[in-house]
Amino acid sequence: MSAGVRRVLAWIVGGVCLTAIVGLVAVAVLDLDEGDRTASVVGAVVAVIGLALSVIILLMTPAGGTQSANVVRAQGRGALAAGRSVQGNAIGKGAKVTIAPTPPPAPPAGAAPPAGRRDVTARGEGAVSAGEDIVDNAIGEDSER
């Protein structure tokens, strides 16, 4: 589901909730006994919906509680997105790497890769984004390293 659709759904749900609150307050002001009964029914319905949504989310989430799939997006002319490191590259018209890139430092002994989901987005013309390091690159028109 796209971010735009989620945003629209959030506004719709917010509007429905606001309408329900205004309606419950109006009923309580006009007739307190009727408002009490109405609020009880609405509370029970909301609780059941919340329970159903919790079960659905639990079933959709893999064991361990995190989603391991990375999402990498590049949007825009010349945009670049990488889920890991970007090293020793020439990015852009006329860019060139003339010196060999330095090797990355070795991770500490026993170090595990970062856990969990990593979302990386480069948005806009010429945007560059990486999930880890961006080092030893020539980025931009006619750049050199």
Side-chain angles (χ1 to χ4, degrees):
M1 184 180 315
S2 73
V5 171
R6 284 187 295 219
R7 188 174 295 126
V8 168
L9 287 174
W11 277 102
I12 290 171
V13 169
V16 168
C17 290
L18 183 61
T19 303
I21 290 170
V22 170
L24 286 172
V25 169
V27 169
V29 167
L30 297 175
D31 184 4
L32 190 57
D33 288 333
E34 185 66 28
D36 181 39
R37 288 191 294 269
T38 304
S40 296
V41 171
V42 169
V45 170
V46 168
V48 169
I49 291 171
L51 177 64
L53 288 175
S54 297
V55 170
I56 290 169
I57 296 300
L58 250 172
L59 293 175
M60 289 175 52
T61 304
T66 61
Q67 296 177 344
S68 60
N70 292 337
V71 177
V72 180
R73 292 184 192 96
Q75 300 170 341
R77 183 172 175 247
L80 170 81
R84 296 258 171 146
S85 295
V86 176
Q87 181 178 16
N89 296 285
I91 302 168
K93 181 180 177 184
K96 57 185 168 185
V97 175
T98 57
I99 302 170
T102 58
R117 181 180 168 142
R118 180 180 303 142
D119 293 341
V120 179
T121 300
R123 186 174 295 143
E125 186 173 335
V128 177
S129 181
E132 292 178 1
D133 295 328
I134 299 178
V135 294
D136 288 334
N137 296 288
I139 301 175
E141 290 188 18
D142 298 318
S143 61
E144 185 176 323
R145 186 206 142 324

